[in-house]
């Protein structure tokens, strides 16, 4: 039997198939057991947002300052204790690692809460920094410093390994990765998915409707994991468009420690994990690998026969490989059958 085990954030996992953060997957606590039974190697719980924690604090303050007035209804209100209880219950239900996920964009919002997450038994923390700076006076340097300050405030407070889930939109992603490693991050989750609003032409309003991913989206994290592999003491979780066993294997080839699956499980169900694992084993056996560790990182930039494939020099070559659907022959367009 092929050995699928891999290491992530100090844990040995039975395979690289990790369920990534998404409320529809982990809000129902019974799904946690189903995920383990279907072969999930670890689970990231859906995020607690800093807005939710802050709303709870505003409410507590309001009740203290104005005991006779009712606090206004809020969409954000959650019980942060309920999140801790979810971690405790998940840990009791399954043997696989459970990672908590906290989502923020400002420094200092978590305070003591991260220690409570640690005490609740989480095996690690995924810190999702989701920020879309639009203030024209905010320099890139200050944006980056805010990320680093958030990370430092959490890594200083807990002994848990902290993985940072972040956007790809930095002037120099490699430098940002180095700085995050210096701020004691143990891993990077590449990349955060940004939700782009759409326009509804019937109602002439801006709408936020969530689209699930396709495999195309994995090229960006794949490139960056390939470039960063073995350059820094960081683990890499790939997220974004990983739908099949082949996608998982590609991510492992460039150096990911694990892959995080969300859209594929939302669209095909949690049990799809079994099929992905079976297909991975078949592929590895057909190629005569004994373990997935054997291939991990073998097509990363440090190990690639042509390391320039991940950089700008490949751009021109890539453009030249495109075959248009139509071509011009003797002044008229005809179908290009080479396509
Ligand atoms: C319905 C839904 C809810 C999500 N909730 C979270 C969340 O709570 N925290 C988080 O970090 N990412 C969240 N994500 C993003 C996913 O974790 C993941 O990064 C993204 O969907 C890309 O992976 P995929 O292509 O497998 O879907 C959510 C995604 C979806 C589709």
């Amino acid at each position: 039997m092929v050995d699928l085990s891999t290491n992530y954030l100090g844990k040995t996992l039975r395979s690289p198939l990790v369920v990534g953060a998404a409320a529809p997957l982990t809000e129902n606590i019974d799904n946690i057991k189903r995920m383990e039974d279907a072969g999930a190697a670890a689970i990231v719980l859906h995020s607690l947002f800093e807005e939710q924690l802050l709303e709870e604090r505003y409410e507590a303050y309001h009740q203290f300052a104005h005991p006779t007035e009712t606090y206004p209804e809020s969409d954000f209100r959650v019980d942060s204790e309920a999140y801790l209880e979810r971690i405790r219950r998940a840990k009791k239900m399954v043997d696989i690692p459970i990672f908590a996920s906290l989502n923020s964009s400002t420094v200092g919002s978590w305070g003591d809460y991260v220690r409570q997450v640690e005490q609740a038994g989480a095996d690690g923390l995924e810190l999702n920094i989701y920020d879309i700076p639009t203030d024209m006076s905010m320099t890139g340097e200050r944006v980056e410093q805010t990320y680093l300050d958030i990370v430092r405030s959490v890594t200083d407070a807990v002994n848990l390994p902290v993985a940072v889930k972040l956007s790809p939109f930095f002037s120099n992603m490699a430098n940002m990765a180095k700085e995050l490693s210096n701020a004691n991050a143990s891993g990077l989750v590449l990349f955060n998915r940004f939700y782009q609003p759409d326009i509804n032409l019937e109602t002439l309003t801006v709408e936020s409707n969530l689209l699930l991913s396709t495999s195309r989206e994995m090229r960006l994290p794949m490139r960056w994991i390939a470039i960063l592999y073995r350059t820094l003491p960081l683990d890499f979780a790939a997220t974004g468009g990983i739908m099949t066993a082949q996608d998982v294997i590609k991510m492992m080839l460039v150096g990911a420690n694990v892959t995080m699956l969300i859209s594929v499980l939302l669209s095909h169900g949690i049990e799809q994990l079994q099929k992905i694992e079976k297909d991975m084993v078949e592929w590895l056996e057909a190629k005569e690998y004994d373990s997935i560790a054997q291939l991990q990182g073998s097509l990363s930039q440090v190990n690639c026969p042509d390391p320039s494939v991940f950089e700008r020099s490949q751009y021109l070559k890539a453009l030249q490989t495109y075959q248009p659907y139509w071509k011009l022959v003797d002044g008229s367009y005809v179908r290009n059958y080479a396509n």
Side-chain angles (χ1 to χ4, degrees):
M1 183 67 180
V2 184
D3 176 7
L4 295 180
S5 65
T6 180
N7 296 313
Y8 181 60
L9 302 186
K11 302 275 172 200
T12 300
L13 307 185
R14 63 176 295 277
S15 86
L17 303 181
V18 173
V19 177
L25 289 173
T26 51
E27 229 161 28
N28 177 355
I29 194 87
D30 295 334
N31 281 347
I32 305 274
K33 183 74 187 121
R34 271 180 65 203
M35 288 165 184
E36 184 182 51
D37 292 346
I43 297 170
V44 185
L45 296 178
H46 59 279
S47 300
L48 181 72
F49 289 76
E50 80 180 353
E51 289 83 349
Q52 296 177 312
L53 197 69
L54 292 176
E55 192 67 35
E56 191 180 67
R57 287 184 198 153
Y58 296 147
E59 184 174 346
Y61 172 75
H62 186 271
Q63 278 165 358
F64 170 75
H66 312 282
T68 55
E69 290 173 27
T70 335
Y71 188 74
E73 286 278 314
S74 162
D75 289 345
F76 286 136
R77 178 75 173 85
V78 287
D79 184 353
S80 59
E81 175 51 37
Y83 194 80
L84 300 175
E85 185 52 25
R86 184 173 296 275
I87 299 171
R88 289 184 207 109
R89 284 188 63 196
K91 284 296 296 173
K92 278 202 197 113
M93 274 179 138
V94 291
D95 294 326
I96 54 178
I98 298 290
F99 300 115
S101 166
L102 300 178
N103 187 313
S104 63
S105 64
T106 56
V107 186
S109 42
W110 297 117
D112 177 48
Y113 190 73
V114 286
R115 273 187 287 275
Q116 296 178 47
V117 168
E118 182 169 30
Q119 282 155 11
D123 293 286
L125 236 176
E126 190 169 294
L127 192 56
N128 182 333
I129 307 181
Y130 190 113
D131 190 23
I132 303 173
T134 51
D135 172 356
M136 286 185 193
S137 63
M138 183 84 159
T139 61
E141 203 175 353
R142 273 180 55 211
V143 173
E144 292 181 4
Q145 193 56 49
T146 305
Y147 272 68
L148 300 174
D149 290 345
I150 295 173
V151 173
R152 196 46 93 183
S153 71
V154 172
T155 54
D156 281 353
V158 288
N159 290 317
L160 288 176
V162 176
V164 182
K165 186 171 182 181
L166 76 169
S167 110
F169 306 123
F170 291 95
S171 301
N172 183 354
M173 187 65 218
N175 173 262
M176 193 60 200
K178 186 180 103 192
E179 294 300 331
L180 288 164
S181 170
N182 290 342
N184 293 329
S186 303
L188 298 184
V189 183
L190 303 180
F191 284 107
N192 222 340
R193 187 173 197 254
F194 284 95
Y195 295 95
Q196 318 296 358
D198 196 9
I199 302 289
N200 182 326
L201 286 179
E202 284 308 312
T203 56
L204 292 183
T205 51
V206 181
E207 273 186 354
S208 50
N209 53 353
L210 194 144
L211 300 172
L212 296 182
S213 313
T214 64
S215 285
R216 279 185 176 196
E217 283 159 64
M218 51 176 269
R219 294 215 181 172
L220 185 65
M222 199 162 75
R223 162 183 272 184
W224 275 107
I225 292 171
I227 291 171
L228 296 172
Y229 175 74
R230 288 274 157 89
T231 58
L232 295 162
L234 286 170
D235 288 346
F236 295 103
T239 171
I242 301 160
M243 317 300 278
T244 64
Q246 286 73 15
D247 296 343
V248 175
I249 290 164
K250 286 181 190 179
M251 287 299 194
M252 297 302 288
L253 280 165
V254 293
N257 294 75
V258 292
T259 54
M260 293 188 171
L261 313 176
I262 298 91
S263 287
V264 65
L265 303 183
L266 290 172
S267 53
H268 290 78
I270 290 167
E271 281 66 31
Q272 187 71 5
L273 284 165
Q274 288 165 351
K275 172 162 171 39
I276 297 174
E277 181 171 324
K278 184 172 147 288
D279 291 351
M280 270 169 66
V281 170
E282 274 174 23
W283 189 93
L284 291 161
E285 280 175 353
K287 299 277 181 202
E288 298 183 358
Y289 282 104
D290 297 325
S291 72
I292 199 143
Q294 266 179 313
L295 61 75
Q296 193 196 6
S298 56
L299 287 182
S300 61
Q301 196 173 35
V302 284
N303 290 327
C304 209
D306 177 6
S308 73
V309 288
F310 295 109
E311 294 183 357
R312 179 184 155 85
S313 52
Q314 200 61 11
Y315 178 46
L316 196 60
K317 281 190 214 157
L319 295 182
Q320 285 161 351
T321 63
Y322 179 73
Q323 296 284 337
Y325 195 68
W326 297 99
K327 63 181 175 183
L328 199 56
V329 179
D330 298 334
S332 43
Y333 281 100
V334 295
R335 173 84 198 274
N336 183 3
Y337 287 99
N339 192 324

